[in-house]
Amino acid sequence: MAAMTEGAALRLLEQAQAGMRKARGLLRDVREDESLAARAFRAGWETLRQAHKLMASIEVEAAQEKVLTKHLAVSRYATALLVRLRRLERKGTSAFEGDDDDLLEGEDDE
């Protein structure tokens, strides 16, 4: 079995982040339709599970500078998503009142 390449690791990280972007979109939809809250929470949680599996599957041989930097960005994105899910669970849809999505802005570009 060949060692994981830097490119393969970066593709895994991009896949993890893409899934979390979809979950983020569902959380935005909750602001407009509160009936989506349970679905958005479950989808967000499943996305986080999958993202962490993908991140954990990266082999040490692929841990080059670009991979480490991207891994940090995806990890921050996952943390921000987890914070949002926690707010949703604790406060319901009122958790997003006056929220300008500041925790997740700017994370897409890294």
Side-chain angles (χ1 to χ4, degrees):
M1 185 168 158
M4 180 179 283
T5 66
E6 180 180 351
L10 289 171
R11 285 188 294 277
L12 285 175
L13 291 169
E14 186 57 42
Q15 183 181 356
Q17 192 169 24
M20 288 187 289
R21 279 189 202 113
K22 290 178 184 177
R24 174 181 159 179
L26 285 175
L27 288 176
R28 285 186 186 131
D29 293 344
V30 169
R31 291 181 190 175
E32 297 165 14
D33 185 357
E34 293 181 13
S35 68
L36 298 174
R39 178 176 173 238
F41 183 85
R42 287 185 184 281
W45 186 258
E46 189 56 38
T47 298
L48 280 174
R49 288 183 62 224
Q50 185 63 30
H52 284 290
K53 283 182 185 179
L54 290 171
M55 289 187 290
S57 71
I58 295 173
E59 297 174 9
V60 69
E61 293 84 11
Q64 304 300 318
E65 181 66 26
K66 285 183 182 179
V67 173
L68 295 172
T69 301
K70 182 68 173 179
H71 202 297
L72 283 168
V74 173
S75 294
R76 284 194 316 264
Y77 200 96
T79 300
L81 179 58
L82 183 58
V83 166
R84 293 297 168 92
L85 292 175
R86 181 174 176 249
R87 285 181 188 168
L88 182 60
E89 178 64 21
R90 290 176 71 197
K91 299 179 183 179
T93 56
S94 65
F96 300 120
E97 289 177 13
D99 192 358
D100 61 358
D101 215 18
D102 60 334
L103 285 176
L104 294 172
E105 286 303 314
E107 299 286 335
D108 291 338
D109 299 330
E110 295 186 29

